[in-house]
Amino acid sequence: MNKSGEVKALYMSNNPETRKPDELTNGRTEIARMGEVDQFSVEELDRLKIISGSMQNSKILNIFRELRTQLLKTNKKNNFVCMVTSITHGGGASYVAGNLAAVFALDKAKTSMLIDANLYAPSMEKLIIGGAKSGITDYLSDPSLDIKDIVYATGIPRLRVIPIGDNGEGAAEYFSSDKMLYFINEIRTRYTDRYVFIDAPPVTESSEARILAEIADLVIVVVPHGRATREQIEAAIQIVGKEKISGLVYNN
Amino acid sequence: MNFSILIQYLDVIFREMWQRKFWCLLGFTVVSFTILTVGMFWSSKFEASATIFADNQNILKPLLSNQAAQSKVQNQAKVVREMMHTPRILKKVVERVYGMDSFESADALGQKINRLRSKVKVKGLGSSYIKVSYSGKTSEDAYHVINGVVDVFIKLSADEQRSESREAFLFIDNQVKQYKDQLVLAEEKLKDFRAFNFDGGERNVDASISRLRTQIEDLKISLDEDRSTVGVLKKQLGSESEYTSNKFTSDVYGERLAVLEAQKNTLLMTYTQDYPDVVSLTYQIADIKQDIKSAVENKAALKNKPMTRSTDENSILNPLYQELRSRLSQVQTDIKAKEKRLVAFKSLKNEEYERRKRIAERGAEESELTRDYNVTKRIYEDMLERKERARLSMTLNIEGQGVTYRIQEPALPPLNPVGLRFLHFVMIGPFVGLFAVIGLIVLFVLLDQRIRIPSLLAGVGAETLVVIPHVKTPFTKRVVRGDMVICFFLGCMIMVAYVCLAYASKIGLI
């Protein structure tokens, strides 16, 4: 509780909304300071299945680094909003999204934002030390809430999380609202070195994922081992649209 | 399929098995215990066999060469199989092994015979050895049946062979008798024919005919000569005067008569009165006597009329004239005689021609009879030889020296059962269980449409960015280790139960 309060206070003090314009140019020092908050240990990260720079299984780390390189290669100019979805429930989209955000955050010149939009199996709150009060659904339904109220720091440096929140009903309508567009745009343009990742529900089994795919710049489809047929994969690619598909990630 | 794909498939199969580990264990248990149960109820088989030697190359063969015809059998094993499978032999075997009255109905007996037929196996080992085997439920049954089959077969085959060669001998003997009768008949015919043939040979007739021809030619020439002589003599006689004087004439006649008489007497010493020459002479004598008589009358007339003849009584017969007359008469006589002879020769020649015709006719008949006789004789001799061979074969078979079957290796009571035994079932049970489970998983992986190998994503419409391996966290590792321990213990328990059950069944507890 104490730890959470400190993080919140720190974030509040660094809230861009309250800062002067000259401070915006000085973002890098700010990012460096962000890493100084309380961090997860390697063991904790292992248990959370989140990679870290000093983890023992460097194979997994390298695979996510490779994935990062490939995503950056296709979008050289600036930052992007990347949606990660799966073919079926429990396909590992949250795992991929979390680790993708973590691997981008490993780079000290970048920050990453992870939005939990997986209404059916939200899982990102565990990254937030001390828990979260409200999330994206609350923000979209409650005009009194500000963006800064739903962005939480995590035990991982340079990684921010927006949890799902408590107001899951009618989420599809909220996601297709103007406020959602404004929200995404705001997050993306605030910092040019911030990379946004959306953990979406399975694309073939929910309408929310289709709406989110339209908002996102890139889409990664996670193919779980032994749970998707070729026809299902082809259908998912068709739903998302070939121009937005960045590629498939095969998850053993 | 290259090696790396194979490895990936193996990995996938192992992973699927691990995911369904308890189902796999259950499947393994069900299959292996099922096989164990089948093994418990599996009845074992005992097989007994005997080797028969088909003896067709016995010690007598070289001694006899081709004299005795021995039965030739090409495929011994086939013959033996056909014989052993006949109901006649099998029925005797059943009666001998199980007793005459052990079957209630003919149906039961028939079924037993059919079962025996399907179970008695005959196999050729090389050209002369034949293995006969039978598998039964107990050692004693197998032993008794195989002994019965072999003994009955050998006895029956020997009996059959004996009766066969005896029948062959009797048949040939009968044939020989028939041919002998025919031969005797042909011989009789030939004898009769020869007895009534007097005409002699063709050559004799030819010689006789040619001789007759020559004689006839000669005779004809001689006749021509004589006739021309007669013409010449008559001409000469015309130019000569009859008498030099009358007295002379009668004297000449007298002399002539004496000569002719003498000649006739000479001939009569050799020939009878009717010999042509004698007849001719008789005529001539009569003629001369007539001449003398007329000459005497002429003389008397001349005495009465001396004026008519200038010549006087002293005139005598002209000798040359007489000579010519004599010769003319002689030649005329010869002609007559020769003409008679010619006729006789001609008739003889005709007779010879007739004879020759007869000889030709009889020759055809004779050659037919001879041919008949020769053919019959040849066949008879051949048959006689065959009969002797058949007698020899019969004797051989009666003595037991012909083609016979001997027991080369007698049957022994089998000690161990053949085929699958309980121990085999016990041993293969776990393996079959394991392979059944693996097989099912392999089938599932091959048939299931869901993708389990990343390389199969090629061409799906989007490229594969990365492949994330299975992450093992300390927690999952602990879970896996726990599962492994449980599986190991379960497996051990299953195997212990399996072995205990097998052992209990072996020692007869179950």
Side-chain angles (χ1 to χ4, degrees), chain A residues 50-73:
Chain A
I50 295 291
I51 57 164
S52 64
S54 53
M55 71 189 294
Q56 283 182 339
N57 193 350
S58 59
K59 196 177 161 193
I60 300 281
L61 179 62
N62 286 333
I63 283 167
F64 278 103
R65 277 178 174 150
E66 166 68 18
L67 186 57
R68 181 181 66 188
T69 312
Q70 295 210 19
L71 288 179
L72 288 173
K73 206 191 289 174

PDB file of all heavy atoms in Angstrom, chain A residues 50-73:
ATOM      1  N   ILE A  50       7.306 -12.816 -17.038  1.00  0.00           N
ATOM      2  CA  ILE A  50       7.716 -11.598 -17.740  1.00  0.00           C
ATOM      3  C   ILE A  50       9.236 -11.610 -17.850  1.00  0.00           C
ATOM      4  O   ILE A  50       9.932 -11.951 -16.888  1.00  0.00           O
ATOM      5  CB  ILE A  50       7.262 -10.332 -16.980  1.00  0.00           C
ATOM      6  CG1 ILE A  50       5.723 -10.251 -16.951  1.00  0.00           C
ATOM      7  CG2 ILE A  50       7.841  -9.064 -17.618  1.00  0.00           C
ATOM      8  CD1 ILE A  50       5.072  -9.978 -18.271  1.00  0.00           C
ATOM      9  N   ILE A  51       9.729 -11.284 -19.040  1.00  0.00           N
ATOM     10  CA  ILE A  51      11.175 -11.319 -19.254  1.00  0.00           C
ATOM     11  C   ILE A  51      11.847 -10.148 -18.554  1.00  0.00           C
ATOM     12  O   ILE A  51      11.215  -9.132 -18.239  1.00  0.00           O
ATOM     13  CB  ILE A  51      11.512 -11.263 -20.756  1.00  0.00           C
ATOM     14  CG1 ILE A  51      10.901  -9.993 -21.392  1.00  0.00           C
ATOM     15  CG2 ILE A  51      11.014 -12.499 -21.472  1.00  0.00           C
ATOM     16  CD1 ILE A  51      11.476  -9.671 -22.715  1.00  0.00           C
ATOM     17  N   SER A  52      13.154 -10.314 -18.314  1.00  0.00           N
ATOM     18  CA  SER A  52      13.942  -9.215 -17.777  1.00  0.00           C
ATOM     19  C   SER A  52      15.345  -9.323 -18.355  1.00  0.00           C
ATOM     20  O   SER A  52      15.726 -10.379 -18.889  1.00  0.00           O
ATOM     21  CB  SER A  52      13.995  -9.319 -16.243  1.00  0.00           C
ATOM     22  OG  SER A  52      14.663 -10.498 -15.882  1.00  0.00           O
ATOM     23  N   GLY A  53      16.073  -8.265 -18.306  1.00  0.00           N
ATOM     24  CA  GLY A  53      17.415  -8.225 -18.901  1.00  0.00           C
ATOM     25  C   GLY A  53      18.376  -9.198 -18.256  1.00  0.00           C
ATOM     26  O   GLY A  53      19.319  -9.662 -18.901  1.00  0.00           O
ATOM     27  N   SER A  54      18.107  -9.558 -17.013  1.00  0.00           N
ATOM     28  CA  SER A  54      19.069 -10.418 -16.320  1.00  0.00           C
ATOM     29  C   SER A  54      18.509 -11.824 -16.100  1.00  0.00           C
ATOM     30  O   SER A  54      18.993 -12.554 -15.249  1.00  0.00           O
ATOM     31  CB  SER A  54      19.412  -9.779 -14.966  1.00  0.00           C
ATOM     32  OG  SER A  54      18.204  -9.523 -14.270  1.00  0.00           O
ATOM     33  N   MET A  55      17.487 -12.169 -16.854  1.00  0.00           N
ATOM     34  CA  MET A  55      16.884 -13.498 -16.629  1.00  0.00           C
ATOM     35  C   MET A  55      17.817 -14.610 -17.118  1.00  0.00           C
ATOM     36  O   MET A  55      18.668 -14.408 -17.987  1.00  0.00           O
ATOM     37  CB  MET A  55      15.525 -13.602 -17.325  1.00  0.00           C
ATOM     38  CG  MET A  55      15.606 -13.670 -18.839  1.00  0.00           C
ATOM     39  SD  MET A  55      13.980 -13.527 -19.586  1.00  0.00           S
ATOM     40  CE  MET A  55      13.218 -15.018 -19.026  1.00  0.00           C
ATOM     41  N   GLN A  56      17.585 -15.817 -16.538  1.00  0.00           N
ATOM     42  CA  GLN A  56      18.475 -16.938 -16.873  1.00  0.00           C
ATOM     43  C   GLN A  56      18.189 -17.491 -18.269  1.00  0.00           C
ATOM     44  O   GLN A  56      19.090 -17.806 -19.026  1.00  0.00           O
ATOM     45  CB  GLN A  56      18.286 -18.047 -15.835  1.00  0.00           C
ATOM     46  CG  GLN A  56      18.986 -17.724 -14.527  1.00  0.00           C
ATOM     47  CD  GLN A  56      18.845 -18.845 -13.533  1.00  0.00           C
ATOM     48  OE1 GLN A  56      17.949 -19.667 -13.642  1.00  0.00           O
ATOM     49  NE2 GLN A  56      19.723 -18.850 -12.557  1.00  0.00           N
ATOM     50  N   ASN A  57      16.898 -17.577 -18.576  1.00  0.00           N
ATOM     51  CA  ASN A  57      16.536 -18.141 -19.874  1.00  0.00           C
ATOM     52  C   ASN A  57      16.654 -17.067 -20.954  1.00  0.00           C
ATOM     53  O   ASN A  57      15.693 -16.421 -21.335  1.00  0.00           O
ATOM     54  CB  ASN A  57      15.099 -18.685 -19.791  1.00  0.00           C
ATOM     55  CG  ASN A  57      14.748 -19.548 -20.977  1.00  0.00           C
ATOM     56  OD1 ASN A  57      15.501 -19.608 -21.953  1.00  0.00           O
ATOM     57  ND2 ASN A  57      13.612 -20.195 -20.888  1.00  0.00           N
ATOM     58  N   SER A  58      17.894 -16.926 -21.451  1.00  0.00           N
ATOM     59  CA  SER A  58      18.125 -15.853 -22.418  1.00  0.00           C
ATOM     60  C   SER A  58      17.505 -16.183 -23.770  1.00  0.00           C
ATOM     61  O   SER A  58      17.381 -15.323 -24.635  1.00  0.00           O
ATOM     62  CB  SER A  58      19.619 -15.606 -22.572  1.00  0.00           C
ATOM     63  OG  SER A  58      20.233 -16.793 -23.008  1.00  0.00           O
ATOM     64  N   LYS A  59      17.107 -17.420 -23.958  1.00  0.00           N
ATOM     65  CA  LYS A  59      16.509 -17.825 -25.235  1.00  0.00           C
ATOM     66  C   LYS A  59      15.194 -17.083 -25.471  1.00  0.00           C
ATOM     67  O   LYS A  59      14.965 -16.508 -26.543  1.00  0.00           O
ATOM     68  CB  LYS A  59      16.256 -19.339 -25.189  1.00  0.00           C
ATOM     69  CG  LYS A  59      16.005 -19.948 -26.548  1.00  0.00           C
ATOM     70  CD  LYS A  59      15.828 -21.463 -26.409  1.00  0.00           C
ATOM     71  CE  LYS A  59      15.130 -22.042 -27.618  1.00  0.00           C
ATOM     72  NZ  LYS A  59      14.683 -23.406 -27.350  1.00  0.00           N
ATOM     73  N   ILE A  60      14.350 -17.067 -24.420  1.00  0.00           N
ATOM     74  CA  ILE A  60      13.067 -16.375 -24.502  1.00  0.00           C
ATOM     75  C   ILE A  60      13.312 -14.874 -24.733  1.00  0.00           C
ATOM     76  O   ILE A  60      12.668 -14.250 -25.569  1.00  0.00           O
ATOM     77  CB  ILE A  60      12.275 -16.580 -23.201  1.00  0.00           C
ATOM     78  CG1 ILE A  60      12.020 -18.071 -22.950  1.00  0.00           C
ATOM     79  CG2 ILE A  60      10.978 -15.787 -23.206  1.00  0.00           C
ATOM     80  CD1 ILE A  60      10.904 -18.661 -23.739  1.00  0.00           C
ATOM     81  N   LEU A  61      14.261 -14.346 -23.969  1.00  0.00           N
ATOM     82  CA  LEU A  61      14.595 -12.918 -24.090  1.00  0.00           C
ATOM     83  C   LEU A  61      14.983 -12.574 -25.525  1.00  0.00           C
ATOM     84  O   LEU A  61      14.501 -11.609 -26.110  1.00  0.00           O
ATOM     85  CB  LEU A  61      15.736 -12.593 -23.115  1.00  0.00           C
ATOM     86  CG  LEU A  61      16.252 -11.155 -23.117  1.00  0.00           C
ATOM     87  CD1 LEU A  61      15.153 -10.192 -22.707  1.00  0.00           C
ATOM     88  CD2 LEU A  61      17.453 -11.016 -22.187  1.00  0.00           C
ATOM     89  N   ASN A  62      15.819 -13.411 -26.086  1.00  0.00           N
ATOM     90  CA  ASN A  62      16.276 -13.153 -27.451  1.00  0.00           C
ATOM     91  C   ASN A  62      15.138 -13.249 -28.455  1.00  0.00           C
ATOM     92  O   ASN A  62      15.111 -12.514 -29.442  1.00  0.00           O
ATOM     93  CB  ASN A  62      17.383 -14.129 -27.832  1.00  0.00           C
ATOM     94  CG  ASN A  62      18.680 -13.769 -27.131  1.00  0.00           C
ATOM     95  OD1 ASN A  62      18.885 -12.595 -26.798  1.00  0.00           O
ATOM     96  ND2 ASN A  62      19.514 -14.754 -26.883  1.00  0.00           N
ATOM     97  N   ILE A  63      14.224 -14.166 -28.190  1.00  0.00           N
ATOM     98  CA  ILE A  63      13.089 -14.301 -29.109  1.00  0.00           C
ATOM     99  C   ILE A  63      12.258 -13.028 -29.109  1.00  0.00           C
ATOM    100  O   ILE A  63      11.873 -12.515 -30.170  1.00  0.00           O
ATOM    101  CB  ILE A  63      12.249 -15.536 -28.723  1.00  0.00           C
ATOM    102  CG1 ILE A  63      12.976 -16.802 -29.215  1.00  0.00           C
ATOM    103  CG2 ILE A  63      10.865 -15.473 -29.355  1.00  0.00           C
ATOM    104  CD1 ILE A  63      12.433 -18.076 -28.646  1.00  0.00           C
ATOM    105  N   PHE A  64      12.023 -12.438 -27.905  1.00  0.00           N
ATOM    106  CA  PHE A  64      11.232 -11.207 -27.846  1.00  0.00           C
ATOM    107  C   PHE A  64      12.009 -10.024 -28.411  1.00  0.00           C
ATOM    108  O   PHE A  64      11.429  -9.120 -28.999  1.00  0.00           O
ATOM    109  CB  PHE A  64      10.740 -10.955 -26.420  1.00  0.00           C
ATOM    110  CG  PHE A  64       9.500 -11.749 -26.127  1.00  0.00           C
ATOM    111  CD1 PHE A  64       9.546 -12.909 -25.369  1.00  0.00           C
ATOM    112  CD2 PHE A  64       8.265 -11.349 -26.639  1.00  0.00           C
ATOM    113  CE1 PHE A  64       8.409 -13.643 -25.123  1.00  0.00           C
ATOM    114  CE2 PHE A  64       7.130 -12.094 -26.394  1.00  0.00           C
ATOM    115  CZ  PHE A  64       7.191 -13.232 -25.637  1.00  0.00           C
ATOM    116  N   ARG A  65      13.329 -10.077 -28.251  1.00  0.00           N
ATOM    117  CA  ARG A  65      14.149  -9.031 -28.880  1.00  0.00           C
ATOM    118  C   ARG A  65      14.031  -9.104 -30.404  1.00  0.00           C
ATOM    119  O   ARG A  65      13.928  -8.090 -31.089  1.00  0.00           O
ATOM    120  CB  ARG A  65      15.616  -9.196 -28.473  1.00  0.00           C
ATOM    121  CG  ARG A  65      15.901  -8.564 -27.130  1.00  0.00           C
ATOM    122  CD  ARG A  65      17.347  -8.782 -26.747  1.00  0.00           C
ATOM    123  NE  ARG A  65      17.669  -8.060 -25.543  1.00  0.00           N
ATOM    124  CZ  ARG A  65      18.586  -8.457 -24.669  1.00  0.00           C
ATOM    125  NH1 ARG A  65      19.262  -9.567 -24.878  1.00  0.00           N
ATOM    126  NH2 ARG A  65      18.837  -7.749 -23.601  1.00  0.00           N
ATOM    127  N   GLU A  66      14.035 -10.321 -30.885  1.00  0.00           N
ATOM    128  CA  GLU A  66      13.888 -10.541 -32.335  1.00  0.00           C
ATOM    129  C   GLU A  66      12.541 -10.006 -32.813  1.00  0.00           C
ATOM    130  O   GLU A  66      12.436  -9.334 -33.845  1.00  0.00           O
ATOM    131  CB  GLU A  66      14.030 -12.049 -32.612  1.00  0.00           C
ATOM    132  CG  GLU A  66      13.593 -12.523 -33.984  1.00  0.00           C
ATOM    133  CD  GLU A  66      14.488 -12.036 -35.109  1.00  0.00           C
ATOM    134  OE1 GLU A  66      15.624 -11.613 -34.803  1.00  0.00           O
ATOM    135  OE2 GLU A  66      14.059 -12.049 -36.274  1.00  0.00           O
ATOM    136  N   LEU A  67      11.507 -10.261 -32.005  1.00  0.00           N
ATOM    137  CA  LEU A  67      10.162  -9.790 -32.349  1.00  0.00           C
ATOM    138  C   LEU A  67      10.133  -8.255 -32.376  1.00  0.00           C
ATOM    139  O   LEU A  67       9.554  -7.645 -33.274  1.00  0.00           O
ATOM    140  CB  LEU A  67       9.161 -10.348 -31.331  1.00  0.00           C
ATOM    141  CG  LEU A  67       7.684 -10.082 -31.586  1.00  0.00           C
ATOM    142  CD1 LEU A  67       7.262 -10.601 -32.954  1.00  0.00           C
ATOM    143  CD2 LEU A  67       6.840 -10.762 -30.509  1.00  0.00           C
ATOM    144  N   ARG A  68      10.795  -7.662 -31.372  1.00  0.00           N
ATOM    145  CA  ARG A  68      10.880  -6.197 -31.312  1.00  0.00           C
ATOM    146  C   ARG A  68      11.568  -5.654 -32.564  1.00  0.00           C
ATOM    147  O   ARG A  68      11.092  -4.703 -33.197  1.00  0.00           O
ATOM    148  CB  ARG A  68      11.669  -5.785 -30.053  1.00  0.00           C
ATOM    149  CG  ARG A  68      11.790  -4.286 -29.876  1.00  0.00           C
ATOM    150  CD  ARG A  68      12.593  -3.952 -28.650  1.00  0.00           C
ATOM    151  NE  ARG A  68      13.991  -4.382 -28.788  1.00  0.00           N
ATOM    152  CZ  ARG A  68      14.890  -4.353 -27.815  1.00  0.00           C
ATOM    153  NH1 ARG A  68      14.535  -3.950 -26.591  1.00  0.00           N
ATOM    154  NH2 ARG A  68      16.120  -4.737 -28.010  1.00  0.00           N
ATOM    155  N   THR A  69      12.677  -6.265 -32.937  1.00  0.00           N
ATOM    156  CA  THR A  69      13.414  -5.827 -34.121  1.00  0.00           C
ATOM    157  C   THR A  69      12.530  -5.876 -35.358  1.00  0.00           C
ATOM    158  O   THR A  69      12.519  -4.961 -36.182  1.00  0.00           O
ATOM    159  CB  THR A  69      14.643  -6.739 -34.332  1.00  0.00           C
ATOM    160  OG1 THR A  69      15.323  -6.867 -33.104  1.00  0.00           O
ATOM    161  CG2 THR A  69      15.556  -6.176 -35.395  1.00  0.00           C
ATOM    162  N   GLN A  70      11.787  -6.975 -35.476  1.00  0.00           N
ATOM    163  CA  GLN A  70      10.936  -7.117 -36.657  1.00  0.00           C
ATOM    164  C   GLN A  70       9.845  -6.060 -36.694  1.00  0.00           C
ATOM    165  O   GLN A  70       9.525  -5.527 -37.763  1.00  0.00           O
ATOM    166  CB  GLN A  70      10.311  -8.515 -36.659  1.00  0.00           C
ATOM    167  CG  GLN A  70      11.363  -9.595 -36.826  1.00  0.00           C
ATOM    168  CD  GLN A  70      10.815 -10.814 -37.524  1.00  0.00           C
ATOM    169  OE1 GLN A  70       9.794 -10.733 -38.182  1.00  0.00           O
ATOM    170  NE2 GLN A  70      11.500 -11.922 -37.368  1.00  0.00           N
ATOM    171  N   LEU A  71       9.265  -5.748 -35.520  1.00  0.00           N
ATOM    172  CA  LEU A  71       8.203  -4.732 -35.483  1.00  0.00           C
ATOM    173  C   LEU A  71       8.767  -3.351 -35.819  1.00  0.00           C
ATOM    174  O   LEU A  71       8.150  -2.580 -36.553  1.00  0.00           O
ATOM    175  CB  LEU A  71       7.542  -4.706 -34.110  1.00  0.00           C
ATOM    176  CG  LEU A  71       6.651  -5.909 -33.789  1.00  0.00           C
ATOM    177  CD1 LEU A  71       6.085  -5.772 -32.380  1.00  0.00           C
ATOM    178  CD2 LEU A  71       5.522  -6.036 -34.791  1.00  0.00           C
ATOM    179  N   LEU A  72       9.939  -3.089 -35.306  1.00  0.00           N
ATOM    180  CA  LEU A  72      10.555  -1.784 -35.565  1.00  0.00           C
ATOM    181  C   LEU A  72      10.965  -1.651 -37.028  1.00  0.00           C
ATOM    182  O   LEU A  72      10.950  -0.564 -37.588  1.00  0.00           O
ATOM    183  CB  LEU A  72      11.773  -1.590 -34.663  1.00  0.00           C
ATOM    184  CG  LEU A  72      11.445  -1.342 -33.178  1.00  0.00           C
ATOM    185  CD1 LEU A  72      12.715  -1.331 -32.349  1.00  0.00           C
ATOM    186  CD2 LEU A  72      10.696  -0.016 -32.999  1.00  0.00           C
ATOM    187  N   LYS A  73      11.314  -2.738 -37.601  1.00  0.00           N
ATOM    188  CA  LYS A  73      11.755  -2.719 -38.996  1.00  0.00           C
ATOM    189  C   LYS A  73      10.596  -2.272 -39.897  1.00  0.00           C
ATOM    190  O   LYS A  73      10.784  -1.525 -40.852  1.00  0.00           O
ATOM    191  CB  LYS A  73      12.218  -4.118 -39.416  1.00  0.00           C
ATOM    192  CG  LYS A  73      13.229  -4.096 -40.542  1.00  0.00           C
ATOM    193  CD  LYS A  73      13.453  -5.487 -41.096  1.00  0.00           C
ATOM    194  CE  LYS A  73      14.211  -6.389 -40.141  1.00  0.00           C
ATOM    195  NZ  LYS A  73      14.279  -7.777 -40.642  1.00  0.00           N
TER     196      LYS A  73
END
